[in-house]
Amino acid sequence: MQSMELQNTVKEALNALYHYPDDAVRMQADRWLQDFQRTIDAWQVADNLLHDATSNPETLIFCSQTLRSKVQRDFEELPSEAFRQLRDSLNNLLKKFHKGPAIVRTQISIAVAALAVHVPAEDWGDGGIVNWLRDGMNAHPEYIPGFLELLTVLPEEAFNYKIAARPERRRQFEKELTSQMEIALNILTACLSISELKEQVLEAFASWLRLKHGIPGSVLATHPLVLTALSSLNCDILSEASVNVVSELIHYTASGSSGGVSVQMPLIQVIVPQVMSLQAQLRDSSKDDEDVKAIARLFADMGDSYVELIATGSNEAMMIVNALLEVASLPEFDIASMTFNFWHNLQVILTKRNFDISFGDEASIEAERNRRLQVFRQSYESLVSLVSSRVQYPDDYQNLSYEDLKEFKQTRYAVADVLTDAASVLGGDTTLQILYMKLVEAVSSCRNEQSEWRPAEAALFCIRAISNYVSVVEANVMPQVMDLLSKLPHQPQLLQTVCLIVGAYSKWLDAAPSGFSKLPLVIDILMSGMRTSEDSAAAAALAFRHICDDCRKKLCAYCKQLFHIYYTAVNGEGSFKGSAEDSLHLVEALSMVITELPPEPAKDALEELCSSVVTPLQEVINQGPEVLEKKHARELTVYIDRFAYIFRYVNHPGAVADAVHRLWPIFKAIFDLRAWDMRTMESLCRACKYAVRTSGRFMGITIGAMLEEIQGLYQQHHQPCFLYLSSEVIKIFGSDPSCASYLKNMIEALFKHTTCLLTSIKFTRRPDIGDDCFLLASRCIRYCPQLFIPSSIFPALVDCAMIGITVQHREASNSILTFLSDIFDLAKSSKGEQFLSIRDSVIIPRGATITRILVAALTGALPSSRLETVAYALLALTRAYGMQALEWAKESVSLIPLAAVKEVERIRFLQALSDAASGADVNVLMIPVEELSDVCRRNRTVQEIVQGALKPLELNLVPVP
């Protein structure tokens, strides 16, 4: 299609996209335009339409975005001689659109900057882009606004990974900009004389400061750009740009690359007084929220950047701390919360054990730490009072949208974090005392359900937040708090928090002198919580679990009463408002107390607990197979999940094994009739898994029946949970010689069926089976290599793993890569060392192919988020096979054309692999791996070339012997 025809088609497609009423036509136009942007014709068409005086705004926006995207991603499509023509065309466009539209000018500016990232300064000419830009501004002062935008985006593009530049070139570009920093700042200084450009100049200056390189603080302290920014903080027109500059200056002074705080002290001494002079404006009612937010941001930046200086507790430091307290007191939470990071970092410095050694001996260090803690004590006490009021439910909480409710909860979590920071400095007991005073004040106005309950709830939320910092034997405040709880109205939100606080202080109930005496009182509260609302029931069930966990030894004498609570809550006449998941906390609670009982009483209690669960299941089974088959999974799993919790938390192996043996007919009936139902099978296998884990070798004959059952059912129904139950059995019984024959048959049967299944469906339809299959295989390598590696299934499983390495399902891919790494690392295991010759006979014929697939995975066949897992598998392979593996890697990398990966990049990667295999730190490998990955993924064309060369799905499998 001729260029003119294409231009018209683009215009028509844009017209359809923006103006056609039919959605289908608009979607078709959008798809066509996206496909067009990926063509090589898009270069010329976009350029022509941008130069065309008749192009409408929609066309200009689309074409400027297209050109920007092409320069960023597809620059390598162009012949090298096209660069100057492109540069000159973009320069002309920059001049053409110097007055707008702004969006078009910005896209063109980004395109020029991206071009500069691709092209070295010596090839660009004129001493690089900054000199070229300066010359252009001198020659055409009328276009300065457009050139200033380019100067602003240049440093930003140094860190833009959308640009398909090689890592080495990206680093080189950053160095070029750093070396031209002085020229850039001279240009900006010259532009300060044009008053209408001051804001743009300051934004450009802020952008260059983000490079964090190059200029001593002593120079910046008197620099006209710095002085202009500082003096403009009070100028309404320039304040936003000035704040951006000063914020960047603060970060600049604290960055390691600028020399840090000590080197930058001359600049800091200029910045701090200017920012401090803005403190009065925080209280200025004439300032709008955005102005106050900008000023608060500067104080927060100072706090974050200079926290180590502030931690010395000097008079100057305390002035900044007081300003930050003032910010924390502002009503808008998004402004006040800007300081939260500072309070956390300050707390870390004040409380860290490895305190600054410059203070001499241990006694001097301790004295200095205590002095500092004392200096900041009042500040943190004020902070506790300020933030604790932030967590109160709003008046209209019942009408909050989902998003607003979510935001409110996030506010509470943030405040809770600040309170724990304060408790770290002040001590939990002191913080508790402050919050208790607020609680007493709140409770005085909280006498019935219609009264104001919200302040009391807020105070209790805060007291709960610091529970881990309060002494478990605290005797002054906590007894009074517990007494107050029973006097509060049963408003649902308040009762929920009351229940949560009971759970949070369960260790106190166990350890404090008066703690256990409060137990009847708090149990009554929890029972009320279970009956009041879903949320309070959930909180009460959780609190009950915490109490039974921490007070379990003392509660052994109260088993009868605990069972009564359990029956009332779970089997009562609809009195328990919680969900089935909440009821599991109660099952867990009883199970933990039963664990503390002597063997015989424990066996009786376990039987009683199981009987309450088995009765409804037995009723269903007694109604016949048809009823059991048709039941909704939820009607069964609600009971089966309780068994899982019982078997998990009752730590009496023999008693649990006996219980499972008695229950096996029920379990078998469910296995036989519900094997088609994934949810029921997952629940039942989970229960069996915990039974095996707790009972171990006490399981005796039951384990054989269980494995025979799942082995047969797996052939028909392919439930992956049968594989994970098998992997638990392997972990417990894998090294038991008496089980060897049985386990070997089970392993071979399961893996034979799974490899056939996965090979035929290529993993994509059932990655969940792949995940559990290779988790089981890894367990076999660790716990019974003597059964697994010599078996006939081992080579087939390696072949199957090769097919599945590049499956896009994260868990399945990770399981396969871990399995391969375990094979390669076999020499690390004393059990596995004797099977190295068998392993080598399987891996060496496949080594070159495995390596090629792993290199393909690194370079684009798998998402970059999995680089570390793939890199470790490749490293483990190289450590196992040394020079042979390095040859495989060299052979694989050499398949990638030089157009995609340069020889120097190949060599760097192979050298790092060699170094890591020889024992160097594994992190040495990651940088070259990331760079090779980055180079090979830099745009779609390159990625297709690389994957086309490596062909990860062509396996050349060795026939299984």
Side-chain angles (χ1 to χ4, degrees), residues 130 176-186 205 208-215 252:
V130 178
E176 287 169 10
L177 289 189
T178 303
S179 68
Q180 295 175 318
M181 174 89 83
E182 193 175 341
I183 300 166
L185 298 197
N186 287 341
F205 181 38
W208 279 82
L209 284 170
R210 288 183 196 112
L211 287 173
K212 293 185 172 59
H213 287 295
I215 310 169
Y252 177 84

Short mmCIF file of all heavy atoms in Angstrom, two decimals, residues 130 176-186 205 208-215 252:
data_model
loop_
_atom_site.label_atom_id
_atom_site.label_comp_id
_atom_site.label_asym_id
_atom_site.label_seq_id
_atom_site.Cartn_x
_atom_site.Cartn_y
_atom_site.Cartn_z
N VAL A 130 23.08 17.56 24.64
CA VAL A 130 22.93 18.78 25.43
C VAL A 130 23.58 19.96 24.71
O VAL A 130 23.01 21.06 24.64
CB VAL A 130 23.51 18.60 26.86
CG1 VAL A 130 23.39 19.90 27.66
CG2 VAL A 130 22.78 17.48 27.59
N GLU A 176 26.96 10.26 30.10
CA GLU A 176 26.99 11.43 29.20
C GLU A 176 26.23 12.60 29.79
O GLU A 176 26.70 13.74 29.79
CB GLU A 176 26.39 11.05 27.84
CG GLU A 176 27.27 10.15 26.99
CD GLU A 176 26.54 9.58 25.78
OE1 GLU A 176 25.41 10.03 25.48
OE2 GLU A 176 27.09 8.69 25.14
N LEU A 177 25.03 12.31 30.32
CA LEU A 177 24.24 13.38 30.92
C LEU A 177 24.94 13.97 32.14
O LEU A 177 24.96 15.20 32.33
CB LEU A 177 22.86 12.86 31.33
CG LEU A 177 21.87 12.54 30.21
CD1 LEU A 177 20.50 12.24 30.81
CD2 LEU A 177 21.75 13.65 29.19
N THR A 178 25.52 13.11 32.95
CA THR A 178 26.22 13.59 34.14
C THR A 178 27.37 14.51 33.76
O THR A 178 27.57 15.57 34.38
CB THR A 178 26.75 12.39 34.96
OG1 THR A 178 25.66 11.53 35.27
CG2 THR A 178 27.41 12.85 36.24
N SER A 179 28.10 14.12 32.72
CA SER A 179 29.24 14.95 32.30
C SER A 179 28.77 16.28 31.71
O SER A 179 29.54 17.25 31.66
CB SER A 179 30.08 14.20 31.27
OG SER A 179 29.35 14.04 30.06
N GLN A 180 27.51 16.33 31.26
CA GLN A 180 26.99 17.57 30.65
C GLN A 180 26.07 18.34 31.60
O GLN A 180 25.42 19.29 31.20
CB GLN A 180 26.22 17.20 29.37
CG GLN A 180 27.15 16.60 28.29
CD GLN A 180 26.39 16.13 27.06
OE1 GLN A 180 25.33 15.54 27.18
NE2 GLN A 180 26.94 16.40 25.90
N MET A 181 26.09 17.91 32.88
CA MET A 181 25.24 18.57 33.88
C MET A 181 25.51 20.08 33.94
O MET A 181 24.59 20.89 34.00
CB MET A 181 25.49 17.92 35.25
CG MET A 181 24.79 18.58 36.41
SD MET A 181 23.14 17.94 36.70
CE MET A 181 23.50 16.50 37.67
N GLU A 182 26.78 20.44 33.96
CA GLU A 182 27.12 21.87 34.10
C GLU A 182 26.57 22.68 32.92
O GLU A 182 26.02 23.77 33.11
CB GLU A 182 28.65 22.03 34.19
CG GLU A 182 29.06 23.42 34.64
CD GLU A 182 30.56 23.54 34.86
OE1 GLU A 182 31.24 22.50 35.01
OE2 GLU A 182 31.04 24.68 34.85
N ILE A 183 26.68 22.12 31.71
CA ILE A 183 26.15 22.83 30.53
C ILE A 183 24.63 22.98 30.66
O ILE A 183 24.08 24.06 30.40
CB ILE A 183 26.49 22.04 29.23
CG1 ILE A 183 28.00 21.89 29.07
CG2 ILE A 183 25.89 22.71 28.01
CD1 ILE A 183 28.42 20.88 28.04
N ALA A 184 23.96 21.90 31.07
CA ALA A 184 22.50 21.93 31.22
C ALA A 184 22.08 23.01 32.23
O ALA A 184 21.15 23.79 31.97
CB ALA A 184 21.98 20.57 31.66
N LEU A 185 22.79 23.08 33.35
CA LEU A 185 22.43 24.07 34.37
C LEU A 185 22.75 25.49 33.91
O LEU A 185 22.04 26.43 34.28
CB LEU A 185 23.13 23.75 35.69
CG LEU A 185 22.78 22.39 36.34
CD1 LEU A 185 23.20 22.38 37.80
CD2 LEU A 185 21.31 22.05 36.23
N ASN A 186 23.80 25.62 33.10
CA ASN A 186 24.10 26.95 32.53
C ASN A 186 22.97 27.41 31.60
O ASN A 186 22.59 28.59 31.60
CB ASN A 186 25.43 26.94 31.78
CG ASN A 186 26.62 26.87 32.72
OD1 ASN A 186 26.49 27.17 33.90
ND2 ASN A 186 27.77 26.45 32.20
N PHE A 205 15.14 21.89 36.21
CA PHE A 205 16.21 21.77 37.20
C PHE A 205 15.93 20.59 38.14
O PHE A 205 16.83 19.79 38.43
CB PHE A 205 16.31 23.09 37.98
CG PHE A 205 17.39 23.11 39.03
CD1 PHE A 205 18.62 22.50 38.82
CD2 PHE A 205 17.18 23.77 40.25
CE1 PHE A 205 19.62 22.53 39.80
CE2 PHE A 205 18.16 23.80 41.22
CZ PHE A 205 19.38 23.18 40.99
N TRP A 208 16.86 17.37 36.42
CA TRP A 208 18.30 17.10 36.36
C TRP A 208 18.86 16.70 37.72
O TRP A 208 19.79 15.91 37.82
CB TRP A 208 19.05 18.31 35.79
CG TRP A 208 18.97 18.31 34.29
CD1 TRP A 208 17.96 18.77 33.51
CD2 TRP A 208 19.94 17.76 33.38
NE1 TRP A 208 18.22 18.55 32.18
CE2 TRP A 208 19.44 17.94 32.07
CE3 TRP A 208 21.17 17.14 33.55
CZ2 TRP A 208 20.13 17.51 30.94
CZ3 TRP A 208 21.88 16.72 32.42
CH2 TRP A 208 21.35 16.91 31.14
N LEU A 209 18.27 17.24 38.77
CA LEU A 209 18.74 16.86 40.11
C LEU A 209 18.50 15.38 40.39
O LEU A 209 19.19 14.77 41.21
CB LEU A 209 18.03 17.71 41.18
CG LEU A 209 18.52 19.16 41.32
CD1 LEU A 209 17.58 19.95 42.21
CD2 LEU A 209 19.94 19.20 41.88
N ARG A 210 17.48 14.79 39.71
CA ARG A 210 17.18 13.37 39.96
C ARG A 210 18.31 12.45 39.51
O ARG A 210 18.35 11.29 39.89
CB ARG A 210 15.87 12.97 39.26
CG ARG A 210 14.65 13.57 39.95
CD ARG A 210 13.32 13.17 39.36
NE ARG A 210 12.29 14.09 39.84
CZ ARG A 210 11.66 14.97 39.10
NH1 ARG A 210 11.90 15.05 37.78
NH2 ARG A 210 10.77 15.78 39.63
N LEU A 211 19.22 12.96 38.71
CA LEU A 211 20.40 12.17 38.34
C LEU A 211 21.31 11.95 39.55
O LEU A 211 22.12 11.03 39.57
CB LEU A 211 21.20 12.86 37.22
CG LEU A 211 20.60 12.83 35.81
CD1 LEU A 211 21.42 13.67 34.87
CD2 LEU A 211 20.52 11.39 35.30
N LYS A 212 21.21 12.87 40.53
CA LYS A 212 21.96 12.77 41.79
C LYS A 212 23.46 12.58 41.56
O LYS A 212 24.11 11.73 42.18
CB LYS A 212 21.41 11.62 42.66
CG LYS A 212 20.00 11.89 43.16
CD LYS A 212 19.52 10.82 44.11
CE LYS A 212 18.20 11.17 44.77
NZ LYS A 212 17.09 11.40 43.85
N HIS A 213 23.99 13.34 40.65
CA HIS A 213 25.43 13.26 40.38
C HIS A 213 26.00 14.65 40.13
O HIS A 213 25.30 15.55 39.67
CB HIS A 213 25.69 12.44 39.11
CG HIS A 213 25.49 10.99 39.27
ND1 HIS A 213 26.26 10.21 40.09
CD2 HIS A 213 24.59 10.15 38.71
CE1 HIS A 213 25.85 8.97 40.02
NE2 HIS A 213 24.83 8.90 39.19
N GLY A 214 27.25 14.78 40.43
CA GLY A 214 28.04 15.80 39.75
C GLY A 214 28.35 17.10 40.40
O GLY A 214 29.41 17.64 40.14
N ILE A 215 27.49 17.67 41.23
CA ILE A 215 27.77 19.04 41.67
C ILE A 215 28.00 19.09 43.17
O ILE A 215 27.15 18.63 43.94
CB ILE A 215 26.60 19.99 41.31
CG1 ILE A 215 26.22 19.80 39.84
CG2 ILE A 215 26.98 21.44 41.55
CD1 ILE A 215 24.95 20.47 39.46
N TYR A 252 18.89 14.92 47.13
CA TYR A 252 20.24 14.98 46.55
C TYR A 252 21.29 15.03 47.66
O TYR A 252 22.29 14.32 47.61
CB TYR A 252 20.33 16.22 45.65
CG TYR A 252 21.70 16.44 45.03
CD1 TYR A 252 22.06 15.78 43.87
CD2 TYR A 252 22.62 17.32 45.60
CE1 TYR A 252 23.31 15.97 43.29
CE2 TYR A 252 23.86 17.53 45.03
CZ TYR A 252 24.21 16.86 43.88
OH TYR A 252 25.45 17.05 43.32
#
